[in-house]
Amino acid sequence: MSSHPLDLQCCAGCGAYWALRPYACAACGGSALRWERAGGHGVVVARSEVHRAPDGFWRGHVPYVLVLVRLAEGVVLMGHADPAVAIGEEVSGRAANIGGRELLRFEARRPP
């Protein structure tokens, strides 16, 4: 089992991607699933600024921004984001370390 925040399962039969670790592909029913690293590029579909942390660790980081991002692979992932990131904006995701915890962080995509 993979632990990188951008690792998804991909169906060998039809190429569909899954973030929720299925036992079989919901698109074709195939059971040959493999781990693949997503590119991390996508569009923000929802955004929330958190001011009430769920525990003592996160209280030290408020306010922080959580986003839902539809990746180019078609799946939607939740991750942290820069405060300036807006709904509809193109972003790039990467693994980030906050206080010893590896998590997914999205940043606005910069033109090449």
Side-chain angles (χ1 to χ4, degrees), residues 9-107:
Q9 286 195 304
C10 180
C11 177
C14 71
Y17 284 90
W18 305 99
L20 296 177
R21 320 292 193 254
Y23 293 101
C25 177
C28 73
S31 59
L33 303 174
R34 64 182 184 274
W35 289 103
E36 287 192 14
R37 180 82 32 97
H41 304 299
V43 175
V44 176
V45 296
R47 178 190 186 282
S48 180
E49 190 166 325
V50 177
H51 291 272
R52 288 186 169 188
D55 60 32
F57 174 81
W58 290 108
R59 272 187 219 101
H61 299 283
V62 294
Y64 56 90
V65 173
L66 294 175
V67 291
L68 293 178
V69 174
R70 182 169 308 279
L71 296 179
E73 291 82 2
V75 301
V76 176
L77 295 180
M78 181 173 69
H80 290 257
D82 291 334
V85 168
I87 293 172
E89 188 167 2
E90 290 188 20
V91 292
S92 294
R94 63 177 174 79
N97 189 300
I98 294 181
R101 299 177 185 196
E102 187 175 52
L103 50 86
L104 183 55
R105 180 164 178 81
F106 289 98
E107 299 171 345

